[in-house]
Amino acid sequence: MFQSIVVAVDGSDAATRGVDAACKLSEAFGGEVHLIHALENKAVDKSDHEKLASGGSGLTSDVIKSAMARAQSAGITPSSATVAEGDAFDEIMMIVDLYSADLVITGRRGLGTFSGMFAGSTSQQIAKHASCAFLSIK
């Protein structure tokens, strides 16, 4: 059923629960897990910006390292782990398309109704535009 699972991680507790859910689904259905962490300009670690400026070689983040370790401790080796710079929605959807995902999982932090009305959330955008199943974990 779920052969390609993309998990967006941002270091939040909800995203960590998303990694756990992806591991359980991967184990149940034999699917691959693909991790993505999108570094938006407002929340980018300086060392990650320097690595991106030098061509992105060896780009890592503590968030993606932590997600990989979490998956591996559950017995799942992610098939890919991507750190990207840009709009989270665009970067996540690029990975969803690249790996022909049939499920995308995000954590839901909840901007609240006022902030969400103006900014919208990445989870809301994915739910609206994804061509595959979507699971939002709170």
Side-chain angles (χ1 to χ4, degrees):
M1 176 179 241
F2 298 121
Q3 297 303 303
S4 179
I5 303 167
V6 170
V7 186
V9 295
D10 62 6
S12 67
D13 290 341
T16 299
R17 288 189 292 277
V19 172
D20 294 343
C23 290
K24 288 176 185 172
L25 290 167
S26 173
E27 185 174 33
F29 295 105
E32 296 180 338
V33 173
H34 304 277
L35 303 172
I36 168 111
H37 176 54
L39 299 167
E40 296 194 57
N41 289 332
K42 60 188 174 192
V44 176
D45 179 280
K46 182 180 177 183
S47 65
D48 284 335
H49 262 310
E50 291 167 358
K51 290 174 188 172
L52 281 168
S54 67
S57 178
L59 180 63
T60 61
S61 78
D62 290 341
V63 170
I64 206 81
K65 285 180 187 176
S66 177
M68 288 182 68
R70 181 102 181 176
Q72 289 170 339
S73 72
I76 302 297
T77 300
S79 296
S80 69
T82 303
V83 178
E85 182 179 33
D87 178 74
F89 169 74
D90 292 336
E91 298 299 331
I92 293 164
M93 295 310 292
M94 181 184 67
I95 296 300
V96 166
D97 291 341
L98 179 66
Y99 294 109
S100 301
D102 38 32
L103 175 63
V104 59
I105 300 174
T106 67
R108 193 176 106 218
R109 293 185 288 175
L111 289 172
T113 53
F114 186 72
S115 296
M117 222 174 8
F118 293 104
S121 74
T122 301
S123 294
Q124 288 172 331
Q125 288 180 297
I126 293 170
K128 185 175 180 179
H129 298 287
S131 59
C132 63
F134 170 65
L135 176 60
S136 177
I137 308 261
K138 190 168 182 178

